[in-house]
Amino acid sequence: MQHNKLLILVFALVALVQIYVPAKMVYDSEVVLDQGTAYKFRTAPIDPTDPFRGKYITLRFDIDEFEIDTSEVWERGEVVYVELTTDSLGYAKIAAISRTKPYEDVDFVQAKVRYASNRYSTLHIEYPFNRFYMEESKAYDAERAYWDAARDRETDCYALVHVKNGEPLVKDVLIDEVPIRELVIMNNAAAEAAELENSKN
Amino acid sequence: MNKKLSTDLSALIEAEIIDIRTAIKIQEFYKGQSGKSQNRLVILFGILGALLMGLGIILIIAHNWDEMSRLSKTVIAFAPLLLGQLIAGWAMIKKKTSVAWREGATTFLFFAVGASISLISQIYNIPGDLGAFLQTWAILCLPLVYLLRSSAGSLLYIIGISWYATEVGWSYKNHSEVYWYWLMLLAILPHYYMLYKKQPRSNFMTFHNWVVPISLLFTLSTVALEMGELMFVAYISLLGLFYIIGTNKFFAQQKRINNGYAAIGALGTTSLLLSLSFDWFWEEIAGHKNTWIEMASSPEGIAIILLTIAAGTLLYFFNRMKAIKNIKPISFVFLLFIPTFVLGTYFPVAGFVIVNLIILVLGLMTIQRGAEEDNLGIMNYGLIILTGLIACRFFDSDISFVVRGVLFMTLGLGFFATNYWMLNKRKTQAHAA
């Protein structure tokens, strides 16, 4: 009987740990959303031949390159810390990139080095928050809307990213201040209405 | 089926071959047997049912996802996890003796844990690292295997850690992470041992006897760092180790299909040898000039040393009571291969010739054993090995077509001749009897 009680106790412990892992993820994310600073990461046009990823859309940002001193050697996959600030239009801008974590009162995110171009003295980086999950039926249309908006420089297309203590969180993707989910719903509704019109005539 | 048995038994009673008491005993025996197979079905359906229910719930929720608030999505993400834990707890307390309950509950909870973590990641768009996710998932579910004594859980765990190992091992990541797999594999071995002791003839044991070697087959490659060619030697030793494990008397009384170790060891060794029988391989390795110290201290080198010692030790302990000629020939291949490899780095031609000779001898010995044991399957397997060897040389060398044609015809004739001779021998033996 003692043995039994011990097993049950251990199981309860294991169950708590199993709950703790996703719960901590929720807590940390909510903290970032609540207390973090919101940055608008302007999106870059994606090469249309990128493979469609299904349940999420892939994001690429304007600020994924930065001018550097060519005397330094950067390795592919190396972790770097990107200090953020805002430009005159309200979009996120890279203030500096370093190999060490900045001090506490500066907003930064972690990123990985994609490659360094000595010719143009630029460092190309990859942000970890490059996915925005969407419900399956909307994902494809959303990605198309996103591509079109990103390529068209007149449109205001950006990802709203909350940052706290170096932890980033993509809150939403907006095209001309309309959240992309709503935009897709609107587009689909408009398309359906147009079809109805056509079939009537 | 019972009707047929009853009619058969009545016929036997009438013919006075068995008496009524024996007939009753026979019926009781078969009833007990079908009880066992029914149990197995219940377990299987329990596991399948749990799987399908889990998937169904996921699909329904996915459809309505967008209309929900973040809070409701989070609640839903935890629901399967909590439900699974309740079911597992119930199984642990009230249904301890039911295999179906334990296995079904563990399977459901296993997937619920994975689902809850990945759902939360999707809700909050948390950047995902597949390797870390798999590792966390596996570690969170490992205790369940021991708490609920679940073999389905164990198999899922092994698959999980193998996926984790290949995910981190085959990408541009930090190489030292691959060693976690071996530690995690160690953690599941007690359960494997328990199966061996308590349920050696069960289906679960058989599944483990296949899943574990297959997992190792994939994950050994993740150890490779700079000296990839050395992995061939490591693999020959690994396959040799598998084969020798398969020759243990534990497997002797079981069906051949239960013996994953022997099957993978034999097939793997012959295929690997065949691919090493090409001269381009030996030209390749002759080019590399590392010192012996460098090779021995590399991860690949250490793998070779450990595997060879393990295989050699088992080879000795399993076979010390047997005469040399009674030991299966494949067991020795790994011992021969290491000096061959060493020689080959200096004289590629020697390596090439020796490997071909090894395959030739293996094929011939297998044919001979097939003839001795009167086993058509083994004999033809030997012939297939020879065919494979000749086919490889066919594509390899610049021998004229005529010679190749003659070789193949000879081989074909050999197939016919040996099979005909064997069947004839059986006929005359049957006549004599």
Side-chain angles (χ1 to χ4, degrees):
Chain A
M1 272 305 106
Q2 276 298 82
H3 183 240
N4 226 18
K5 289 216 179 104
L6 181 68
L7 278 180
I8 296 173
L9 199 67
V10 174
F11 176 75
L13 212 69
V14 170
L16 282 172
V17 174
Q18 287 178 345
I19 296 176
Y20 171 74
V21 169
K24 180 159 198 317
M25 286 163 76
V26 172
Y27 177 73
D28 286 345
S29 303
E30 289 290 343
V31 164
V32 174
L33 281 175
D34 212 28
Q35 302 169 12
T37 328
Y39 282 90
K40 297 184 186 178
F41 278 74
R42 191 114 195 238
T43 57
I46 292 188
D47 179 358
T49 59
D50 254 1
F52 158 62
R53 293 293 197 100
K55 291 140 216 119
Y56 55 86
I57 63 177
T58 321
L59 307 170
R60 250 189 73 187
F61 306 109
D62 261 356
I63 54 166
D64 63 358
E65 43 181 78
F66 189 67
E67 238 182 78
I68 43 143
D69 181 0
T70 48
S71 59
E72 286 206 61
V73 176
W74 300 88
E75 261 186 52
R76 191 204 146 122
E78 203 184 334
V79 171
V80 291
Y81 296 92
V82 180
E83 254 181 68
L84 296 170
T85 181
T86 329
D87 70 7
S88 50
L89 293 166
Y91 292 107
K93 191 171 83 162
I94 301 182
I97 296 188
S98 73
R99 281 202 179 87
T100 52
K101 247 192 200 168
Y103 292 115
E104 289 298 321
D105 53 358
V106 164
D107 280 324
F108 69 95
V109 289
Q110 235 183 25
K112 280 210 185 122
V113 172
R114 275 175 63 212
Y115 64 95
S117 167
N118 278 329
R119 198 145 168 242
Y120 299 108
S121 303
T122 47
L123 184 69
H124 293 254
I125 53 176
E126 191 178 24
Y127 294 98
F129 44 91
N130 53 3
R131 290 188 189 182
F132 185 68
Y133 285 97
M134 309 240 357
E135 193 251 312
E136 285 184 330
S137 64
K138 300 201 185 75
Y140 182 63
D141 296 327
E143 199 155 38
R144 299 258 323 273
Y146 174 72
W147 290 346
D148 293 338
R151 251 180 287 136
D152 178 6
R153 263 13 199 116
E154 303 290 311
T155 342
D156 207 18
C157 180
Y158 63 87
L160 188 62
V161 183
H162 284 233
V163 179
K164 182 173 163 56
N165 287 346
E167 293 296 321
L169 209 128
V170 180
K171 175 108 194 292
D172 211 338
V173 173
L174 293 105
I175 298 178
D176 275 337
E177 303 303 328
V178 177
I180 197 165
R181 282 197 182 94
E182 288 177 31
L183 188 70
V184 169
I185 295 175
M186 283 182 351
N187 284 349
N188 286 346
E192 272 182 42
E195 259 195 59
L196 267 168
E197 279 292 317
N198 282 340
S199 60
K200 269 194 216 151
N201 301 343
Chain B
M1 226 189 320
N2 270 330
K3 254 197 203 147
K4 184 177 186 295
L5 185 65
S6 306
T7 31
D8 282 346
L9 285 176
S10 334
L12 285 169
I13 293 175
E14 266 196 46
E16 288 183 16
I17 298 181
I18 55 170
D19 63 4
I20 296 192
R21 224 178 291 155
T22 318
I24 295 178
K25 275 202 227 164
I26 292 176
Q27 264 196 332
E28 293 294 315
F29 175 74
Y30 277 119
K31 243 192 239 159
Q33 289 277 318
S34 78
K36 248 188 249 171
S37 69
Q38 267 179 1
N39 258 347
R40 255 182 258 150
L41 269 177
V42 174
I43 295 170
L44 180 65
F45 282 124
I47 297 176
L48 276 176
L51 266 169
L52 285 170
M53 268 200 348
L55 287 170
I57 296 175
I58 291 172
L59 285 169
I60 295 175
I61 293 173
H63 184 72
N64 293 307
W65 205 233
D66 263 342
E67 276 81 64
M68 296 189 252
S69 71
R70 213 166 60 230
L71 175 63
S72 25
K73 287 186 195 177
T74 309
V75 168
I76 290 180
F78 277 100
L81 178 61
L82 293 169
L83 181 64
Q85 288 176 339
L86 282 170
I87 297 177
W90 180 256
M92 249 190 87
I93 300 173
K94 289 282 179 187
K95 299 278 178 186
K96 256 194 304 233
T97 49
S98 163
V99 180
W101 264 95
R102 281 188 281 123
E103 300 289 356
T106 313
T107 308
F108 184 77
L109 183 52
F110 186 91
F111 284 104
V113 169
S116 67
I117 300 180
S118 62
L119 274 173
I120 299 282
S121 305
Q122 285 197 8
I123 296 170
Y124 290 94
N125 294 304
I126 298 177
D129 176 8
L130 185 58
F133 167 67
L134 288 169
Q135 187 181 29
T136 312
W137 188 3
I139 293 179
L140 283 176
C141 293
L142 174 63
L144 298 174
V145 174
Y146 291 104
L147 286 168
L148 284 123
R149 286 171 287 131
S150 163
S151 294
S154 168
L155 288 168
L156 286 167
Y157 174 82
I158 296 173
I159 294 172
I161 60 174
S162 313
W163 189 357
Y164 161 71
T166 53
E167 175 62 30
V168 292
W170 293 350
S171 60
Y172 291 110
K173 295 225 170 89
N174 189 6
H175 188 254
S176 58
E177 239 202 282
V178 303
Y179 298 115
W180 274 110
Y181 164 81
W182 303 98
L183 209 67
M184 295 170 88
L185 185 66
L186 222 64
I188 202 67
L189 290 183
H191 181 83
Y192 196 6
Y193 184 68
M194 190 240 14
L195 266 181
Y196 166 69
K197 279 283 168 192
K198 299 231 179 107
Q199 300 165 28
R201 300 292 153 97
S202 66
N203 282 329
F204 279 129
M205 180 64 178
T206 305
F207 290 140
H208 276 77
N209 288 340
W210 278 91
V211 169
V212 170
I214 290 177
S215 166
L216 289 169
L217 214 57
F218 279 100
T219 55
L220 184 64
S221 58
T222 62
V223 164
L225 193 56
E226 307 256 318
M227 304 196 208
E229 329 78 58
L230 288 181
M231 288 315 289
F232 286 106
V233 189
Y235 265 98
I236 293 276
S237 290
L238 178 71
L239 291 163
L241 177 64
F242 286 164
Y243 186 75
I244 294 170
I245 293 176
T247 59
N248 187 294
K249 56 182 182 305
F250 170 76
F251 291 103
Q253 295 117 16
Q254 297 190 39
K255 286 185 275 188
R256 222 173 236 132
I257 193 79
N258 292 5
N259 196 347
Y261 289 102
I264 295 175
L267 272 169
T269 307
T270 32
S271 328
L272 190 53
L273 281 176
L274 277 172
S275 59
L276 294 174
S277 69
F278 288 87
D279 54 2
W280 56 256
F281 170 75
W282 298 97
E283 307 286 316
E284 262 292 309
I285 63 163
H288 298 263
K289 287 295 172 227
N290 296 98
T291 67
W292 291 110
I293 310 276
E294 277 173 4
M295 285 202 262
S297 55
S298 67
E300 299 93 339
I302 296 177
I304 296 175
I305 294 172
L306 289 173
L307 286 167
T308 312
I309 292 179
T313 318
L314 285 183
L315 178 64
Y316 173 68
F317 278 113
F318 287 173
N319 294 305
R320 59 185 164 168
M321 299 300 177
K322 294 191 199 157
I324 293 264
K325 69 180 182 75
N326 283 335
I327 308 177
K328 301 270 170 63
I330 301 186
S331 312
F332 293 110
V333 170
F334 77 98
L335 281 173
L336 287 170
F337 189 73
I338 296 182
T340 308
F341 186 80
V342 171
L343 192 61
T345 50
Y346 295 110
F347 306 108
V349 182
F352 167 72
V353 168
I354 295 178
V355 169
N356 277 282
L357 275 175
I358 294 178
I359 304 175
L360 181 65
V361 168
L362 266 179
L364 290 172
M365 288 181 82
T366 313
I367 295 174
Q368 187 193 26
R369 183 162 66 92
E372 277 173 12
E373 291 182 18
D374 195 31
N375 189 323
L376 272 174
I378 297 181
M379 195 183 74
N380 283 315
Y381 175 56
L383 283 165
I384 290 175
I385 295 178
L386 286 182
T387 312
L389 180 62
I390 306 256
C392 288
R393 300 285 71 72
F394 179 88
F395 293 113
D396 196 19
S397 311
D398 303 306
I399 317 176
S400 78
F401 279 111
V402 178
V403 176
R404 286 189 234 179
V406 170
L407 265 176
F408 270 106
M409 277 184 6
T410 318
L411 204 58
L413 277 171
F415 262 104
F416 280 122
T418 45
N419 278 291
Y420 178 74
W421 168 80
M422 174 98 96
L423 287 167
N424 233 8
K425 192 170 80 150
R426 285 186 183 171
K427 233 193 284 177
T428 49
Q429 279 182 343
H431 276 310

